Structures are given as structure tokens and as C-alpha cells.
Amino acid sequence: MRYAYAITAAMLASGATATMVMQQPVGAQVAQNAPGTIAAATPRAGAPLSFADLAAKLQPAVVNISTTSRVPVAQGGGNPFAGTPFGDLFGQFGLRDPNNNNNNGGRPATREATSLGSGFIISADGYVVTNNHVISGGPEQQGRNAPTVDSITVTLPDRKEYKARLVGRDVVSDLALLKIDATNLPFVQFGDSTSARVGDWVVAIGNPFGLGGTVTAGIVSAIHRSIGLGNAYDRYIQTDASINQGNSGGPMFDLKGNVIGINTAIFSPTGGNVGIGFAIPAEQARPVIETLKSGGKIKRGYLGVGIQPMTDDIAAGLGLPKDIGEIVARVEPGEAAARAGIRQGDVIVKVNNKDITPDNTLSYIVANTAVGSRVPIELIRDGKRQTLTAVVGERPPEDQLAAAAGGDDDDGPNGTPSQGAQSTRDSIGLGVQALTPDIARQLGIPATVRGLVVSSVDGSSDAASEGIQRGDVILSINQRPTISVADATGAINAARAAGRGTVLLFVQRGAGSPRYIGVKIGAK
């Protein structure tokens, strides 16, 4: 034993090392992080040991953008976005009321507002890219009550200031293109964001809190990330590079110095950086910017359907796998989907031979399909797959779409439960009754709507946890119309007999658009 220890000590003292090799059976599966299976995390050829040279080269093309505007303010003030995780998409807005006077004699109150953000130069003759919300003077609500920007100022890193004119803007993608009168400017170009991988280094440059040029570094945390906006461009690069208010509109670079993203949003319960930032991928931004620069109109594909993702409950109600496809909650008359024969309740699983998934949504695929294209649409109807062909239309303006979607009405009915309501209350926690013309008027529901109105909700039921309220109208259960209580109980009993623990309700609230809700069936 002493001899063995002495040999070991001698080997360590002389710098020698001993290695034990464990032989794996041929073809055996090994751990993902087994020794020898991962390349050492050292800089690859050409990668910097420091970001200093990269930052010095790129910073001159990143600018500060400031605006002044007059914005309408509700009497009593207050920030309607305060306290929300995505409340302010980087804009830093300051409201000033020099007279501190909220009594405006009944006239609409306005305040002078300033916004600070970032941007980057993409040509030597002064084209500048930024976010639309940076130069809008404040958060826009689909074009309603949008403040008018009086002036836009672009400040270069050498402190030279230029008045900028707005070349074009696109609310949907949150992009804007500016022009300043200058020549021989430093500029950067877009790169290939499709090659970005989770774990790649990225560098963000911008003007957080108006402090001036600031460089931060991090990695790509996720790609194709949805942040719940639900539109055709709800698909971002997520990063942990430090991003704060004022970084909005600034570039995200790869290690080659190419712009692979435009910093746009942060997730922050407190308003500060918590390591979760989002950037518009270059693959989405470049076509929009090129169209704005050429003076063209942004055209996006449109089917004319209201859709919902396939949640666990909805999938269970239909007896289908989750995370595959999206269910059609509404079909707009006369639009591409209606002309193709798509119906409410269809589950669309493929468009133009591309699978519909949470990372590749129907909205994204259709919006990026050329207007006028004939595309195959694969869907599931009544448990059977079929393929239809649609001619993609042109997406209407966002304010028109918002108006078509309608709003919610939280008022409930004043009726009393019918005798048969107890059976549905026992099974799904909802008391229901026939929708009479009088109740429909009280609820603000169109006279053409047929269904059962929810007269009571068991607070401990799954239906309550899913947000169903007194006054909601159940149009169908498991795709079967529910005109009477017997229709509802029959659909629920049929689901039980088929061994399903969930039923799919199609619910309307007020004059708003109906939506699907999966509700668990209670013990009989």
C-alpha cells in the first residue's frame, strides 16, 4: 500500500496523469453529455476572445432616436400598461404637464410626450431602421387614438443630430424606416437569422434609458418564440443579453457583425432586465424594410378564419393529439377559407404542405404566403382527414380586423335555471337554459344566435377555472348544436360513452367572436 501511494505521489509530482477508459458496448446508447461527445467550449477559429473589436466596428452605425408628440390622456391619468409583464416595449415615455391642471373644461386632455429608443443605419446615404412603436409617440392600439409625432431626431454616436423623415412604417411587424440627409455614413447589413442556433453568442447595442451607446452580450436563448401577441409576426429570437427600456429598435448582431435581429420586447414584471429579451428575426424584418424603402405596400396572405391553438382540453374534447394543428372558431363570409369550403370546427393541420405547430402557426405560414397563391390545406373534420385547396387572399388592415373580432360583454342574464339544467350542472358544472329573445337582448347577443345560455356556474368546477361565466352562450358541445338542454346532456353522455373525460364547448360572450373551451366532465 505504501509503495502504491508513493508511485501515485510521484506521478502527480512529475505532472504525469493516469486515465481509466471504460469500454462501451458497440452500438450502445450513451449520455448526451458523456465525455468525448461534446466539443470543448473554446472559441472557434475567428471567434473573439473579447467583443471589443466587434463593438468598436459596429457602434458607429447604431443611433439614438428621440421623438416629441402630443398624446391624449384620460382624465385622472394613469398608465394602462403599468404592471403588465410586456407593458412597455422598450419605449421610454415622459409626460409633462407644466400647469399640473387636469380640469380641461371638457376638452380632450393632451400632454407633451417624448420617446427614446434605438435604431441602426443600413445605407451610407442615411436610411435608418427602428421599431414602429419607437417613432409612434406612444403605444398604439391598432391605430386608435394614435398620437401624432411632431418631430423625429436621430443622434449619431459622435453626437451629430439630424431631423429624420418617416419613409414608411408597418404596425403589424412593428418596423419603421427613417431617412436622414447625410452621406458617407457608417452602416451595417442584415445577416441570416435562419442559421441562428440556441446557444450562439449575440451582441446587442442600443441606448438603454437614454444613456447612450451601450453594448451587452449573451446567447440565443430560444428561437421561434411566441410572446402571446397572436399575430402573424409573433415569432421572436429570445436572448439573455441585457436589454432594457430604450434598447428598442436597436440591432442584435452575430459574431460576424451581421444584424440577425431587432431588439423589440422584454419580459419583465418589474420593468427592468431579467434576462428575457426578444428580437424580430432578420428573416422577417428584411423583406418589410426592403418594401418600405422601395415605396411598396406590405401585402400579407389571408384566409379569413378565426383560429385557436389546440390546447390539452380542446384536443381531449376532440380525441386528437395536442400541439398539432389549430381549430377554426370562425369563418369570415366571402373570404378565401369560406370559398375553399373550410368550416367552423375544422382542425387545420397543414397549409401548403407545412405542418401547423406551436412554433409554426397558421397565421405565420399564411401571412408569409404570396397573395393569389393556390395552396393545399389539410384538415380534420369529424375525425377524418381531407384536403381542400384555397386561393390566398390579402390581409385587411389591422383596425378592420379588430373591429370584425368584436368585444366582450360581461353582463349576465336575469333568467332562472330550467328544470333540466341540473343534469349539466352535475356533469360539467354549468346550469343552462334556452336562449330566449329577451335574454339575448339583455346580453347584447345577435338575434340570429342559437344556443343555451349559462345561468349558473359551479365555482369549484373545471368550467369555472376555464373562465366560463354566467351569461355566456354555449353554441355547441363536441360540434353538436345545443338548442335545448336535451341536446347538451345528449352530447355529454355520448362523450362519456366514448370514454372521453373532456367535452369541447363552443362559447360566445356578448357580440364577440365565439371560441372553443375544453371542459372536464365530472363524476356521474
Side-chain angles (χ1 to χ4, degrees), residues 423-424 427-428 477-478 480 487-497 500 503 505 521:
S423 61
T424 57
S427 56
I428 58 174
I477 298 178
N478 281 358
R480 295 169 56 169
D487 294 334
T489 55
I492 296 168
N493 290 337
R496 271 204 181 105
R500 296 183 186 176
V503 289
L505 276 55
I521 303 174

Side-chain angles (χ1 to χ4, degrees), residues 53 224 244 270 272 450:
D53 291 340
H224 301 167
N244 290 283
T270 63
R450 296 290 181 269

Side-chain angles (χ1 to χ4, degrees), residues 118 129-135 174-176 248-250 262-264 280:
S118 306
V129 174
T130 188
N131 282 139
N132 176 61
H133 73 261
V134 169
I135 53 87
D174 194 20
L175 293 170
S248 196
I262 301 173
N263 301 318
T264 298
I280 301 170

Side-chain angles (χ1 to χ4, degrees), residues 8-99:
T8 303
M11 290 177 66
L12 293 174
S14 64
T17 59
T19 304
M20 293 185 65
V21 179
M22 298 293 292
Q23 295 293 330
Q24 292 283 348
V26 176
Q29 185 174 352
V30 299
Q32 293 295 105
N33 56 350
T37 62
I38 300 176
T42 55
R44 66 179 187 272
L49 294 174
S50 166
F51 297 108
D53 291 340
L54 191 65
K57 190 73 173 177
L58 300 175
Q59 269 191 294
V62 182
V63 300
N64 171 278
I65 296 176
S66 60
T67 70
T68 60
S69 61
R70 301 292 299 182
V71 299
V73 177
Q75 297 295 331
N79 177 10
F81 300 96
T84 62
F86 294 105
D88 182 7
L89 301 183
F90 292 99
Q92 183 178 350
F93 300 97
L95 300 180
R96 297 193 294 272
D97 182 3
N99 299 320

Side-chain angles (χ1 to χ4, degrees), residues 60-209:
V62 182
V63 300
N64 171 278
I65 296 176
S66 60
T67 70
T68 60
S69 61
R70 301 292 299 182
V71 299
V73 177
Q75 297 295 331
N79 177 10
F81 300 96
T84 62
F86 294 105
D88 182 7
L89 301 183
F90 292 99
Q92 183 178 350
F93 300 97
L95 300 180
R96 297 193 294 272
D97 182 3
N99 299 320
N100 193 27
N101 184 3
N102 285 327
N103 186 357
N104 207 30
R107 297 186 303 274
T110 62
R111 299 289 185 272
E112 182 181 354
T114 61
S115 78
L116 295 175
S118 306
F120 55 99
I121 306 170
I122 60 169
S123 68
D125 58 347
Y127 282 96
V128 178
V129 174
T130 188
N131 282 139
N132 176 61
H133 73 261
V134 169
I135 53 87
S136 296
E140 288 187 299
Q141 300 177 21
Q142 304 296 347
R144 298 187 295 271
N145 299 323
T148 301
V149 173
D150 297 323
S151 65
I152 303 173
T153 302
V154 171
T155 305
L156 274 57
D158 61 6
R159 301 188 184 279
K160 288 182 180 178
E161 293 187 357
Y162 297 89
K163 291 297 180 183
R165 65 179 176 87
L166 179 61
V167 176
R169 59 197 287 181
D170 181 49
V171 176
V172 178
S173 61
D174 194 20
L175 293 170
L177 182 64
L178 310 177
K179 180 69 170 67
I180 59 176
D181 294 327
T183 57
N184 298 321
L185 294 172
F187 65 94
V188 290
Q189 55 192 3
F190 285 109
D192 181 12
S193 60
T194 62
S195 62
R197 302 171 60 203
V198 173
D200 281 349
W201 280 107
V202 289
V203 175
I205 303 180
N207 299 276
F209 303 105

Side-chain angles (χ1 to χ4, degrees), residues 108-409:
T110 62
R111 299 289 185 272
E112 182 181 354
T114 61
S115 78
L116 295 175
S118 306
F120 55 99
I121 306 170
I122 60 169
S123 68
D125 58 347
Y127 282 96
V128 178
V129 174
T130 188
N131 282 139
N132 176 61
H133 73 261
V134 169
I135 53 87
S136 296
E140 288 187 299
Q141 300 177 21
Q142 304 296 347
R144 298 187 295 271
N145 299 323
T148 301
V149 173
D150 297 323
S151 65
I152 303 173
T153 302
V154 171
T155 305
L156 274 57
D158 61 6
R159 301 188 184 279
K160 288 182 180 178
E161 293 187 357
Y162 297 89
K163 291 297 180 183
R165 65 179 176 87
L166 179 61
V167 176
R169 59 197 287 181
D170 181 49
V171 176
V172 178
S173 61
D174 194 20
L175 293 170
L177 182 64
L178 310 177
K179 180 69 170 67
I180 59 176
D181 294 327
T183 57
N184 298 321
L185 294 172
F187 65 94
V188 290
Q189 55 192 3
F190 285 109
D192 181 12
S193 60
T194 62
S195 62
R197 302 171 60 203
V198 173
D200 281 349
W201 280 107
V202 289
V203 175
I205 303 180
N207 299 276
F209 303 105
L211 293 173
T214 299
V215 180
T216 58
I219 63 170
V220 173
S221 302
I223 57 175
H224 301 167
R225 178 70 80 202
S226 168
I227 61 176
L229 300 181
N231 62 30
Y233 285 83
D234 190 12
R235 180 164 159 158
Y236 297 87
I237 298 173
Q238 181 181 326
T239 181
D240 67 346
S242 184
I243 295 173
N244 290 283
Q245 293 180 3
N247 275 104
S248 196
M252 173 190 288
F253 296 101
D254 61 18
L255 290 190
K256 295 179 181 178
N258 293 316
V259 179
I260 62 167
I262 301 173
N263 301 318
T264 298
I266 56 174
F267 181 88
S268 175
T270 63
N273 172 61
V274 294
I276 302 177
F278 304 96
I280 301 170
E283 62 186 290
Q284 294 176 196
R286 189 197 330 242
V288 173
I289 295 302
E290 289 176 350
T291 302
L292 294 177
K293 188 176 180 181
S294 66
K297 177 186 176 182
I298 308 296
K299 294 183 178 181
R300 297 183 176 87
Y302 182 68
L303 279 182
V305 292
I307 54 177
Q308 291 180 235
M310 288 288 286
T311 63
D312 292 355
D313 288 340
I314 291 177
L318 291 172
L320 296 174
K322 64 177 182 178
D323 294 336
I324 300 296
E326 293 175 336
I327 188 167
V328 177
R330 184 182 74 256
V331 179
E332 295 295 337
E335 296 292 349
R339 293 195 299 269
I342 295 173
R343 303 176 189 171
Q344 173 259 312
D346 288 344
V347 177
I348 298 178
V349 293
K350 281 187 180 182
V351 174
N352 207 17
N353 300 315
K354 298 176 182 177
D355 290 330
I356 305 299
T357 68
D359 290 337
N360 206 32
T361 64
L362 183 145
S363 292
Y364 179 81
I365 294 174
V366 172
N368 289 280
T369 301
V371 175
S373 300
R374 292 178 61 86
V375 297
I377 297 179
E378 186 175 329
L379 54 85
I380 300 174
R381 180 183 296 168
D382 298 328
K384 299 177 181 178
R385 290 201 177 220
Q386 58 180 282
T387 300
L388 305 175
T389 300
V391 178
V392 177
E394 182 177 346
R395 186 179 179 86
E398 295 307 302
D399 55 351
Q400 182 178 329
L401 291 175
D408 286 348
D409 186 342

